[in-house]
Amino acid sequence: IMLMLLKPDDPARYAVLAACGCLGVATLAGTRLLRAGNLPLEPAVSYAAAAALTPLAGLAIVYLRLAQGAASLPLAAAALLLAAVFAGGAWLFLKGRAGEANRIGLGALASAAIAAAAFALVFALDGGMLTVAFALAAVGTAFVAVRLDLAALRWCVAALGILVGARLAWDPRIVGAALSPTPIFNWLL
């Protein structure tokens, strides 16, 4: 809430405050989930969601407030750094003790790493790349869901698929009228 209320008069201070707050919440939630023995499903999902979604939401808010939809290489680099942090956290859960809470944390952080990498793509490129990033995040999350056999992530993949499908139904041209002069790139999109 503080991120939305503050005016970014000093963008560097704004970004540092956002990073510290979001990573603090994610670290506390991730540590609690990692140290939990046998948490019931609801608290485990809540901790996993806080650990994965808080930094992603904070990064998205900072991007919208500072770059306002334009390409931003520093924020793309920050998203790649966040993806690496999520991948490191997923590795900790992979090496942790067995249990359903540990599997939920592993799946959430692995999917968040994929989503942060998709954010980096959105932040680095201009145009309709958000749809492509959502599609890539859906494919990556589906891979994690199948590989780790986590049924809860399948609902996330379905939601991303519906989001991409709705976006394509609204406007099938992903980049609008700003098509690339390279036909092969347009075909890939």
Side-chain angles (χ1 to χ4, degrees):
I1 294 175
M2 283 183 62
L3 293 175
M4 290 188 263
L5 297 178
L6 286 175
K7 286 191 163 215
D9 294 332
D10 184 6
R13 186 174 55 163
Y14 182 79
V16 168
L17 176 65
C20 290
C22 292
L23 290 176
V25 168
T27 301
L28 290 173
T31 302
R32 173 67 177 111
L33 188 61
L34 187 62
R35 293 183 183 195
N38 289 326
L39 270 178
L41 182 64
E42 292 82 13
V45 169
S46 298
Y47 284 126
L53 297 179
T54 304
L56 290 174
L59 187 63
I61 290 170
V62 167
Y63 170 71
L64 291 174
R65 295 285 293 187
L66 296 181
Q68 298 176 348
S72 172
L73 291 180
L75 287 175
L80 282 178
L81 180 64
L82 183 61
V85 168
F86 279 137
W91 182 80
L92 288 174
F93 277 97
L94 184 64
K95 298 296 179 190
R97 61 179 85 146
E100 190 63 26
N102 200 11
R103 287 173 24 100
I104 290 172
L106 173 61
L109 292 185
S111 296
I114 295 165
F119 271 20
L121 177 67
V122 170
F123 298 167
L125 301 174
D126 231 352
M129 291 297 129
L130 183 60
T131 305
V132 175
F134 279 144
L136 290 174
V139 168
T141 304
F143 175 76
V144 170
V146 169
R147 180 94 168 126
L148 299 176
D149 193 31
L150 292 172
L153 283 181
R154 292 183 184 132
W155 289 102
C156 297
V157 173
L160 284 169
I162 290 170
L163 184 66
V164 169
R167 166 58 177 87
L168 291 176
W170 176 59
D171 184 10
R173 297 175 304 163
I174 293 177
V175 293
L179 292 175
S180 168
T182 308
I184 295 172
F185 183 69
N186 294 331
W187 299 336
L188 291 174
L189 284 177

